[in-house]
Each structure stands twice: as structure tokens, then as C-alpha cells.
Amino acid sequence: MTEPVVIAIDGPSGAGKGAVTQHLAQRTGFHVLDSGALYRLTGLAARLDGIELSDAPAVAAVARGLAVQFIPTQSGNEPFEIMLRGVAVTDSIRTDQAGVDASTVAALPMVRAALGDRQQAFRQAPGLIADGRDMGTVVFKDALVKIFLTASPEIRAERRYNQLKNKDMDVSLPALLESIQARDTLDSNRAVAPLKPAEDAVVIDSSGMPLEAVHEAIWAVVSKVVT
Ligand code: C5P
């Protein structure tokens, strides 16, 4: 039996992958995997359990046992209400600290292995849009379409700033820029699944592009192979 198709959307933090993923999901009716949320949830759950984020076996055990639910929502800024152990954590996993914690646990090979099967399970008919860092390079190497979406750190920091402000979070633009650059360095230089475009990825730099133009550029690629 052939596996359901996967569209991999990789790239650094704040490049607009989330918006692109939602847009493609609406156009195709495919399922969505927000793999970054799984790393964020692992970091949060480990903190709640009082586990040191550097304790790889303990954090991997948390990742394996994550009790999470992604409940589709029809309104609001987020496409899903995300539940961890029965409690809504949709906003608390989006803080900048949660992103930094996610990057820390994501550098641990045991944690990546623990989340691997969970990510594969999202691959269901009619297809999957998978958003992350290593969707096209590691988790879904056989993805039908691979997009690497990027933008300058300054533009990404500004977008993140606006997103977090919309959630009434207390954020500073210079601090966000510094955090995004630190996360880029960590994600790009780690030994396992570093952030980089797959050899067969289409790279799109969205720096000077309005969101509509980004959507259309990506749809032009996707619609050639997904009908
Ligand atoms: O995409 P998001 O900003 O939510 O991801 C948070 C962090 O999780 C990233 O900075 C990265 O370190 C990690 N991550 C990863 N592999 C993925 C998705 C996210 O390492 N597929």
C-alpha cells in the first residue's frame, strides 16, 4: 500500500511556516503536524516534572509518555487547542522561553528518537503537511514536496514580536532578535538533524514578500504535484 503523501515545510523560527502550513491545509484538506509543538511540549512537561533539561534519559522518557491532544479550533490565532495532560497549554508553549527550552531538548538525540514515531503517526490519508526543522531531511525523507522557508533574522524577530504582542505577551524586539539568533545557531549546529535545507528542497526567502505572495509561491510548487 502506498503511504499518504507528505509536504514538508522546514525552516528557522519565525519564517512563517505556521501560516503557510495552515494555508496549505485549507487548500488541500491534509492533516497538519506542528513538530515544533512536540518539542515545546516536551520541554514544558520536563519542567513541570522538575527534570533538568540536560538529563537526556529522563527528558526522553517524558517525550515518550507525553499525553497530548491537538483539538482543532475554528476561531482565534491558533488552529489547535493544545492540551498537555488534560490542561490547555496553547499559549504557554508559545513563549520565547518555551522556544529556548524546546531547542535545548531538541538537541538531545534520545529525545529526537522518542518523538520520531509520534511524528510518523500523523501521516494519514489524504496527506500531511509537516512543519519543522528536519521534516524533509530526516522524519519524512520521502516527502513529495519539500519547502525550506526562510527570512532574515530581523524580519523573523519582527514577525514573532507581532505574534506574541497579539497574544498580549510582554516581549521586547531586541531580546527576541537575540533569542532567534541564538536558537538559529543551536538548531543549525547541533549534531543530530541540524537545520538545513534538504538537497531536493525548494528554498524560498520570504524576507521582502507579503504573506499572500509567499502563499502563492508555495502553492505554485505544491499544486504541480498535489491535485
Ligand atoms: O517551530 P518551533 O519554533 O515551535 O520549534 C521550537 C524548537 O523546536 C526549534 O527551535 C527547534 O530547536 C526544535 N525543533 C526541532 N525539530 C523540529 C521542530 C522543532 O528541532 N522538527
Side-chain angles (χ1 to χ4, degrees):
M1 211 180 74
T2 52
E3 293 256 50
V5 300
V6 175
I7 300 173
I9 312 286
D10 287 308
S13 178
K17 302 185 303 290
V20 162
T21 299
Q22 287 316 312
H23 180 79
L24 285 177
Q26 274 166 13
R27 275 178 113 149
T28 57
F30 285 8
H31 298 280
V32 165
L33 165 61
D34 175 357
S35 60
L38 295 176
Y39 288 96
R40 287 171 182 265
L41 286 158
T42 300
L44 177 62
R47 279 206 183 268
L48 291 173
D49 291 351
I51 291 168
E52 286 290 331
L53 299 188
S54 56
D55 182 346
V59 181
V62 167
R64 271 191 299 277
L66 269 189
V68 299
Q69 286 167 287
F70 291 83
I71 303 169
T73 54
Q74 300 306 325
S75 59
N77 292 329
E78 296 277 349
F80 297 105
E81 180 85 274
I82 302 178
M83 312 291 289
L84 173 65
R85 300 169 179 166
V87 177
V89 294
T90 317
D91 284 343
S92 46
I93 61 160
R94 296 298 170 203
T95 64
D96 193 51
Q97 184 58 49
V100 173
D101 287 351
S103 262
T104 305
V105 301
L108 304 171
M110 286 176 84
V111 171
R112 302 200 77 83
L115 291 178
D117 287 347
R118 200 178 273 268
Q119 294 175 75
Q120 291 288 345
F122 282 78
R123 185 174 197 166
Q124 288 185 13
L128 177 68
I129 325 275
D131 159 346
R133 303 292 186 288
D134 62 342
M135 300 293 97
T137 51
V138 177
V139 182
F140 302 108
K141 269 191 181 150
D142 63 338
L144 188 62
V145 185
K146 299 180 185 178
I147 306 277
F148 190 86
L149 185 62
T150 189
S152 72
E154 290 74 17
I155 298 255
R156 290 187 282 122
E158 206 178 301
R159 289 180 188 158
R160 249 305 126 77
Y161 178 83
N162 291 330
Q163 273 172 359
L164 296 179
K165 272 276 165 205
N166 273 341
K167 288 180 189 288
D168 289 329
M169 289 188 193
D170 187 19
V171 279
S172 113
L173 186 56
L176 270 182
L177 176 59
E178 202 176 307
S179 168
I180 276 196
Q181 285 170 324
R183 204 128 68 86
D184 282 359
T185 305
L186 196 61
D187 290 350
S188 306
N189 294 309
R190 67 184 175 213
V192 276
L195 171 68
K196 62 167 189 207
E199 277 173 14
D200 47 349
V202 176
V203 178
I204 296 180
D205 185 335
S206 70
S207 296
M209 294 167 79
L211 190 57
E212 269 306 301
V214 177
H215 286 162
E216 288 318 310
I218 290 181
W219 184 244
V221 177
V222 171
S223 59
K224 274 194 203 137
V225 278
V226 174
T227 45

